[in-house]
Amino acid sequence: MSALPFAFAYPALLGALIALPVIWWLLRLTPPRPQAEVFPPLKILATVLKREETPAQSPWWLTLLRMLLAAAIIFAIADPVFNPRTGSLASGGPLVLFVDNSWASAPDWERRVQTADALIGDAESAGAVVSIAFTADPTNDATPGTASAAREKLRAAEPKPLVPDRQRAFEALRAALNGTHPGTLAFLTDGAASSDNDATVRQLSDLQPAELRVIEGDTAQTVAISGATNTADAMTVKVTRLSSGGAASVALNAQDAQGRVIATGRADFAPGQTAVNAGISAPFEMRNDFARVSINTGATAGAMHLLDDAFKRRRVVLLSGESGDEFQPLLSPLYYIQRALEPYADLVRPTDANLSVAIPKLLANNPSVIIMADIGRLPEDTYAPLQRWISNGGMLLRFAGPRLAAAPAEDPLIPVTLRQGERALGGSLSWSEPQALADFPSFSPFAGIARPTDVTVNRQVLAEPTPDLAERTWASLTDGTPLVTMNKMNAGQIVLFHVSAEATWSNLPISGTFVEMLRHLIQISRSGGVTSESTGSARVAETLPPFRMLTAKGTLVAETGNARPLFPNAKAVPIANFDNPPGLYGSEDGFAALNVLPDDADLKPLDMDGVNIVRAGLVGGESWSAKPLLFFIAFLLLLADSLIVLFMNGAFSRMRPRARTAATIAIALAAGLMLRPDIMHANDTQPGDDVIMQRLDNTHLAYVVTGEQDVDNISDQGLDGLTKFLTYRTTLEPAPPVGIDLDKDELAFYPIIYWPISATAPMPSNAAISRIDAYMRNGGTVLFDTRDQIDSFEGGSDTTANGQRLQQILANLDIPPLEPVPHDHVLTKSFYLLSSFPGRYTGSPLWIEARQGGQNNSNKPAAAADGVSPILITANDFAGAWAVDENDTPLLPTVPPDDTQREYAFRAGVNIMMYMLTGNYKTDQVHVPDLLERLGQ
């Protein structure tokens, strides 16, 4: 049973169609065409006196045109309506409205209210009572009542950011009906199953209504995010949709805490596919600024996925008491730790074997965790900075081994007092059998991990018994001896595994439990990194009060309503419900995110098989009148008829040829504008010719004028030095460099713009940011240089002041995903063969647009610019290395002082310029023989 495809609002007016034959006969008559005669008056008079005028018949096609005009007017007045709503309700019982007011109903909630209100109006006209229940409300009074009472409930209802609890609503409805069979039972559903065994439609059918009507909206727009993982190279987002139709693509936005979009991605669905994993690529520091990820076209709680500190990727330092053996990696103390943490953290290894040098450098990188595998004694000068770092919130994670077993017992970086030596099978404290793990205590971060039955320990370091040893033990063996102990040091923690990090003391490192234990420890560490100078932040409390709540339309609000505190330490993963709706729980110092859908959930359509139902759509969108369209068609037919009559009567033949041509063109243009009102006129405003000639006489290197004299002088002299180097070493002879004002100067004249970032310079205006964004979209390239790589060697923070200013600028730019220059990128061979891109400093990679393997990039700016990345980012201070005076003497020393480094800095500049001017030309295979010859192969 379905509604008619269309109906007429005034069908009686269609009787006028009977008059069409009469109109046909009348329209066949037309006056004779006027004849042109020569001037002789008598001949004209004779013709007039002798000839009797008689009517002539019009052409059949003109008559048909006029008949269509008359028919269009008659049909328009009758007002045809497509998909009209029928107001019929089944009799014999009350009208029952079972309404989904879940997150998926938010986009078309007003239409759902209109549909329910129209049904209530039908029931009011029929004198029937109305029962109404909402599936996302904790309580329902579904007792049948008057239509006005039902309208009050309907107007008070609103969509909730929850998955509907249809079972609870159905039980309330069944109890309210108390055996009464409904007349029409209308189920206004969002179309998604609330659980794997959702049998709501069958349960409603069991109430034996006279008519079960299922009313759905547009399920093709129901798309949600059900998971986000911060992997090593990108953020992986799981996107699920309700419809399994054709191919579809949705845009993803990663936003910071202020709601600014700082990275984007796309989720592409194949035909029939309902779930897909999409990636959002960004550097490590930018991904740690993600506060939420959303679907660009979605305005629902399901399309918004909140992120908390557990999502942020930690920086973990790995230190070992011995160097790894590349020929026997399975015996390396850090091998299993590295394999376990690679998917969850960014791992940093020391570049210097001397720990006195390596540890201060590593602390300058703001790690969240430092892992020491079998390190017994540390250099004396490293204890103080390590203790400050731990006190400010760092986590020191240590593993036992022969060196630690022989270390002094008074080590301040050990959580408990250890007995010297190790407990092993066959010793004085030997075990008769290797020991298994005991259940993890409830206060341990490992609570909830299933106790492994296949893990055994045959060697460990023992702790001296103390009154608080049990409180410090996070994991133990079946005999009660500690396996993992901890101790707090102000805001930080020291954690010790009493076994080694490789498989000689136990098989724990080669088990899945080891991965889970390390992952839980990394998640409870401080997410933003820790410095020796920072102040420790308060840790998240065990009971988290509601902090920010998520609305059904996907926005965060401070109103917490009736939300109750969240208990995150429960063994079961929290799921959004009436007591704990989706949102952020905690405080500004730390919070946990609770999303609408559980992790890895899939949207599935509601099961309606085997049930006799009547399907219907929502009002307000499907029904539409064809009256305006028919009147417009009638107007076009009238216009065509008028032009034809003028032509047949010779109105155009009496015009001069030029006037006739002009009139024809004017009519054609007028008709085109009527049919295409969206045509816009281009603005032909052009810059002054003098500016164009000044900038187009030769290739210029350009830099952004920051307003700081020292920075601008170095930029000018640096680009001048690179210009001279290009002139000496290549056939390119650029003109002197140009300083540009982003607010005023034309940017399109320059292939690349060098932008030195300075935190003390004024922030660029929004207009300047918009102009630079347009420049990048149109094929230009901007080289951002924070010039602060030296800070990482002098105890600077992980994100320097210049780096923070760069983040503020990039937050307002539509930049592509970035990656360090791959070893086989065209930048490494566009002129010189290079493996790195140093400036005054050498430690920073050169970031460029990430290459999307196997994807069509034709719509990206880089594709329009022949493969050239629209953005380059470095911290190596290129201009400082290129800057020379009038005598071509370098102005600034390299760090460390090295003439070879400066030479490679110039070569990096040459490669960048050639890359700007030739694009992917050097990726052509025709150059392979020459490159192989240069390499001596």
Side-chain angles (χ1 to χ4, degrees), residues 298-643:
T300 64
M304 175 72 69
H305 192 81
L306 304 176
L307 306 173
D308 53 22
D309 289 346
F311 164 81
K312 295 183 179 180
R313 196 170 179 84
R314 273 63 166 175
R315 177 167 289 164
V316 178
V317 170
L318 301 181
L319 296 175
S320 174
E322 62 182 30
S323 59
D325 188 347
E326 62 180 3
F327 299 106
Q328 294 179 314
L330 299 182
L331 299 180
S332 170
L334 296 176
Y335 176 79
Y336 297 104
I337 298 176
Q338 182 172 344
R339 293 293 298 272
L341 292 181
E342 275 179 342
Y344 310 108
D346 280 339
L347 307 181
V348 181
R349 301 288 293 269
T351 57
D352 197 314
N354 186 348
L355 294 182
S356 296
V357 178
I359 289 179
K361 289 183 178 180
L362 294 170
L363 290 177
N365 287 327
N366 292 352
S368 298
V369 182
I370 295 179
I371 297 180
M372 295 183 180
D374 192 21
I375 293 180
R377 293 181 175 88
L378 290 169
E380 189 66 30
D381 57 349
T382 62
Y383 280 95
L386 277 173
Q387 288 175 309
R388 288 197 301 271
W389 173 80
I390 297 171
S391 297
N392 288 328
M395 175 183 286
L396 178 62
L397 178 57
R398 305 191 68 171
F399 284 84
R403 292 179 177 83
L404 185 64
E410 63 274 7
D411 189 339
L413 299 182
I414 296 293
V416 294
T417 303
L418 297 179
R419 293 181 179 179
Q420 281 199 321
E422 59 196 61
R423 180 186 183 193
L425 184 64
S428 58
L429 295 175
S430 63
W431 304 327
S432 58
E433 294 289 341
Q435 294 291 300
L437 271 63
D439 291 329
F440 298 113
S442 58
F443 60 85
S444 168
F446 310 135
I449 300 177
R451 183 180 68 87
T453 58
D454 55 347
V455 172
T456 56
V457 176
N458 52 29
R459 187 172 300 223
Q460 70 176 148
V461 291
L462 290 175
E464 290 285 355
T466 57
D468 60 349
L469 180 60
E471 299 175 1
R472 297 186 182 185
T473 302
W474 280 352
S476 59
L477 304 180
T478 52
D479 65 352
T481 55
L483 175 67
V484 180
T485 55
M486 64 78 60
N487 186 29
K488 290 185 177 181
M489 182 180 289
N490 294 332
Q493 294 174 318
I494 302 174
V495 182
L496 172 65
F497 277 73
H498 290 240
V499 294
S500 64
E502 27 77 30
T504 56
W505 285 28
S506 74
N507 61 351
L508 176 64
I510 61 176
S511 68
T513 304
F514 186 69
V515 178
E516 290 297 312
M517 294 174 73
L518 289 183
R519 185 171 66 87
H520 280 64
L521 290 176
I522 295 301
Q523 286 180 344
I524 66 172
S525 65
R526 184 172 173 180
S527 59
V530 186
T531 65
S532 298
E533 291 76 19
S534 63
T535 58
S537 62
R539 302 188 63 83
V540 178
E542 292 185 358
T543 302
L544 303 178
F547 175 50
R548 296 285 188 272
M549 294 293 101
L550 191 66
T551 66
K553 293 187 176 181
T555 58
L556 281 174
V557 295
E559 177 63 36
T560 59
N562 297 322
R564 296 183 179 181
L566 183 69
F567 297 91
N569 290 333
K571 294 184 179 181
V573 177
I575 297 178
N577 51 47
F578 297 117
D579 293 331
N580 298 121
L584 303 177
Y585 289 81
S587 64
E588 293 182 355
D589 295 328
F591 50 79
L594 184 62
N595 289 290
V596 177
L597 297 180
D599 287 344
D600 206 35
D602 291 326
L603 292 178
K604 298 179 181 179
L606 200 62
D607 185 12
M608 304 181 191
D609 295 337
V611 182
N612 186 19
I613 61 174
V614 176
R615 292 181 178 270
L618 300 175
V619 302
E622 288 77 9
S623 299
W624 61 278
S625 174
K627 179 191 290 187
L629 178 61
L630 290 174
F631 273 125
F632 179 71
I633 293 175
F635 172 75
L636 293 180
L637 293 175
L638 178 61
L639 180 63
D641 180 84
S642 302
L643 294 175

Side-chain angles (χ1 to χ4, degrees), residues 90 92-96 128-131 144 177 180-185:
L95 168 66
V96 176
V129 295
V130 182
S131 173
L177 293 177
T180 302
H181 299 309
T184 294
L185 197 163

